[in-house]
Amino acid sequence: MKKILYLTDLYYHAKGRNYYEEDLFLSGILKDHFDIVLCNPKNSSSFENDVDLIIFRNTGSVLNFKEVYDSFRERVKTNNLKTFNDFTGKADMCGKQYLLDLTLDGYL
């Protein structure tokens, strides 16, 4: 079974939304099709090379952990890690393309 590293901050507080509910819902669906690990981006490095795909979601502003985020982006590039995000940092990393991709591939 393919493995997904789902990076999120379940404790991130946002006005008007409970982001953790989205992530628990989505990861709950994904677990039926993949081995999935939920992890805070600050702790992801030890898991990154053991998965087939990394999804980066709902972490709040990466400005709160810029050095960690920059290091993660460098590891993605250097280690050729497969992600669903383009890491421009705009509007949920420019949309939820991974949901469309998984749907088109018949997983959702």
Side-chain angles (χ1 to χ4, degrees):
M1 185 176 282
K2 298 283 185 180
K3 297 177 185 178
I4 293 177
L5 177 58
Y6 191 104
L7 301 179
T8 185
D9 181 354
L10 295 175
Y11 297 98
Y12 174 68
H13 295 283
K15 289 184 178 181
R17 291 175 63 185
N18 293 325
Y19 280 131
Y20 70 90
E21 289 177 354
E22 293 177 7
D23 292 329
L24 293 175
F25 174 76
L26 291 172
S27 62
I29 292 171
L30 292 171
K31 75 173 175 47
D32 292 336
H33 305 282
F34 304 94
D35 283 339
I36 187 163
V37 174
L38 267 67
C39 181
N40 188 293
K42 295 174 184 175
N43 306 107
S44 69
S45 63
S46 65
F47 299 102
E48 293 165 0
N49 291 315
D50 297 325
V51 297
D52 300 295
L53 177 71
I54 300 171
I55 297 174
F56 194 100
R57 291 216 2 116
N58 292 335
T59 63
S61 173
V62 296
L63 294 177
N64 295 324
F65 55 97
K66 185 162 177 28
E67 288 180 22
V68 170
Y69 180 71
D70 290 345
S71 177
F72 169 76
R73 287 182 59 179
E74 185 60 32
R75 289 191 308 276
V76 166
K77 182 179 173 183
T78 301
N79 298 328
N80 199 31
L81 300 174
K82 187 172 182 182
T83 68
F84 267 118
N85 308 84
D86 65 6
F87 300 106
T88 61
K90 297 180 182 176
D92 196 49
M93 303 302 176
C94 286
K96 295 179 176 21
Q97 184 62 43
Y98 64 93
L99 294 176
L100 298 172
D101 293 341
L102 289 170
T103 300
L104 291 172
D105 287 342
Y107 289 107
L108 301 175

